[in-house]
């Protein structure tokens, strides 16, 4: 899965990365879905170990264009995982109180504690994405944020957090299909926001803003992965594999048992 990791210091051109996965697909759909099922089972026990050991903190950041599949990813990748140790923090349009503070103010309290996994559904990156595309603050302010963000993430890592960041890369055509599908399906109308059409008109500006994010904030401490996301099963597989590989790499162990358990009898 290293092929999807953005090498720190490299410059990202999204138009050169195929949202369908192209020839680089590591397997077919049937095989991929079966692999996802076993990764789910593995993730379930890794999460239990993480929780039991209570040492590591895991932060997973999901960013994507509208309809990019953040919600579906959370549903599929974390299916079966004990909800006690996993939570989702969604970042919407900031409230008045949030806007009255710096942009990381609302983010820091949502970061994971020891033994926890937290998934960011959107994140502090919106403050250099939507904010940049819509000129919500002057350029000289958002321009400084890439460095703040790198420093903030380094702080979290220095204090025991493992960070994984995923950009779900869909094509403009795939977004059209997904928006049309939402329009055509009454059960999906709640997900359709006419505002998404205005965002779609700014597709190129968003891609450019994402390229800056990926180029400037993929670090050794907190790398970005650009995930081909036109095929949902493949997107889920890539993300699941990266998370499982990363958790395995932590070499976790259950905490030592109390002394003398062998002699204990439950009466
Ligand atoms: P959704 O994820 O569809 O519920 O939409 C959430 C909306 O909140 C998106 O349109 C985001 O761009 C917007 N949003 C999230 N964070 C910020 C932010 N910091 N500033 C402005 N808008 C934001
Ligand atoms: Mg939306």
């Amino acid at each position: 899965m290293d092929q999807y990791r953005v090498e720190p210091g490299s410059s990202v051109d999204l138009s050169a990365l195929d949202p369908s996965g192209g020839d680089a697909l590591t397997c077919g759909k049937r095989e991929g879905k079966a692999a996802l099922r076993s990764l789910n089972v593995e993730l379930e026990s890794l999460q239990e170990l993480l929780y039991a050991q209570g040492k590591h903190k895991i932060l997973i950041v999901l960013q994507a264009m509208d309809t990019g599949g953040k919600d579906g990813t959370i549903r599929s990748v974390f299916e079966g995982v004990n909800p006690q140790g996993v939570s989702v923090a969604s970042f919407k349009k900031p409230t008045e109180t949030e806007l009255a503070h710096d942009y990381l103010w609302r983010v820091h309290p949502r970061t994971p504690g020891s033994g926890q996994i937290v998934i960011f559904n959107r994140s502090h990156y919106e403050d250099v994405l939507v904010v940049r595309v819509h000129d919500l603050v002057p350029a000289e302010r958002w321009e400084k944020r890439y460095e703040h963000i790198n420093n903030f993430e380094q702080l979290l890592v220095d204090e025991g957090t493992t960070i994984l960041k995923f950009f779900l890369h869909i094509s403009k055509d795939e977004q059209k299909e997904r928006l049309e599908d939402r329009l055509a399906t009454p059960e999906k109308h709640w997900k359709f926001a006419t505002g998404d059409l205005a965002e779609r008109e700014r597709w190129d500006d968003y891609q450019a803003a994402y390229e800056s994010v990926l180029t400037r904030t993929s670090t050794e401490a907190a790398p970005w992965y650009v995930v081909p996301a036109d095929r949902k099963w493949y997107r889920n597989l890539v993300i699941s594999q990266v998370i499982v590989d990363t958790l395995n790499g932590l070499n976790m162990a259950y905490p030592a048992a109390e002394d003398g358990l062998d002699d204990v009898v439950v009466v």
Side-chain angles (χ1 to χ4, degrees):
M1 293 299 158
D2 272 358
Q3 58 178 317
Y4 300 119
R5 187 173 178 271
V6 178
E7 203 48 49
S10 69
S11 174
V12 175
D13 171 9
L14 283 175
S15 67
L17 302 174
D18 187 347
S20 76
D23 296 336
L25 287 204
T26 52
C27 60
K29 183 170 181 177
R30 181 191 294 262
E31 207 187 324
K33 287 194 150 184
L36 180 65
R37 278 193 297 277
S38 35
L39 285 167
N40 266 146
V41 173
E42 206 179 341
L43 182 58
E44 204 182 324
S45 35
L46 282 164
Q47 185 275 328
E48 188 168 312
L49 185 53
L50 179 95
Y51 186 80
Q53 191 182 28
K55 174 179 170 190
H56 299 279
K57 325 176 215 288
I58 311 294
L59 174 60
I60 295 167
V61 174
L62 298 181
Q63 284 288 158
M65 299 292 289
D66 291 318
T67 76
K70 297 188 291 350
D71 299 320
T73 297
I74 296 169
R75 243 188 346 259
S76 307
V77 171
F78 288 90
E79 195 180 332
V81 176
N82 184 351
Q84 285 218 87
V86 181
S87 57
V88 179
S90 296
F91 294 94
K92 310 274 183 191
K93 215 164 163 282
T95 63
E96 217 174 295
T97 311
E98 287 168 348
L99 277 178
H101 293 79
D102 71 83
Y103 65 98
L104 291 175
W105 181 77
R106 67 172 179 165
V107 177
H108 206 163
R110 313 293 297 275
T111 57
S114 301
Q116 294 179 337
I117 299 178
V118 173
I119 305 155
F120 278 6
N121 182 345
R122 301 188 191 269
S123 64
H124 43 297
Y125 284 99
E126 291 295 326
D127 293 284
V128 283
L129 290 164
V130 63
V131 166
R132 164 172 159 171
V133 169
H134 287 277
D135 287 322
L136 299 182
V137 308
E140 53 280 16
R141 254 175 80 194
W142 58 252
E143 184 58 45
K144 294 193 177 124
R145 292 180 172 179
Y146 302 96
E147 201 183 335
H148 302 156
I149 289 173
N150 286 337
N151 289 335
F152 170 62
E153 292 178 355
Q154 184 68 55
L155 157 87
L156 297 177
V157 170
D158 290 345
E159 296 289 325
T161 306
T162 298
I163 305 181
L164 293 171
K165 304 182 293 198
F166 298 98
F167 171 58
L168 317 185
H169 183 34
I170 57 165
S171 62
K172 199 173 178 189
D173 287 344
E174 179 67 21
Q175 188 191 53
K176 181 168 196 280
E177 276 184 33
R178 292 185 188 181
L179 286 170
E180 284 171 349
D181 179 53
R182 284 182 183 181
L183 272 179
T185 317
E187 293 74 28
K188 291 185 182 173
H189 281 171
W190 67 274
K191 282 204 225 179
F192 190 91
T194 47
D196 292 351
L197 299 178
E199 298 312 298
R200 177 173 167 78
E201 283 177 22
R202 299 182 186 241
W203 181 273
D204 293 341
D205 293 342
Y206 272 106
Q207 297 290 299
Y210 269 111
E211 285 174 344
S212 297
V213 161
L214 298 165
T215 299
R216 298 174 68 174
T217 66
S218 195
T219 59
E220 290 299 341
W224 275 105
Y225 290 79
V226 177
V227 181
D230 275 2
R231 292 183 172 93
K232 295 172 182 172
W233 67 269
Y234 193 66
R235 169 200 79 200
N236 294 339
L237 179 64
V238 169
I239 296 175
S240 205
Q241 186 75 61
V242 171
I243 295 172
V244 165
D245 289 349
T246 303
L247 292 180
N248 275 322
L250 295 177
N251 296 316
M252 297 181 287
Y254 280 102
E258 276 178 48
D259 281 341
L261 281 194
D262 287 347
D263 303 326
V264 172
V265 179
V266 181
V267 290

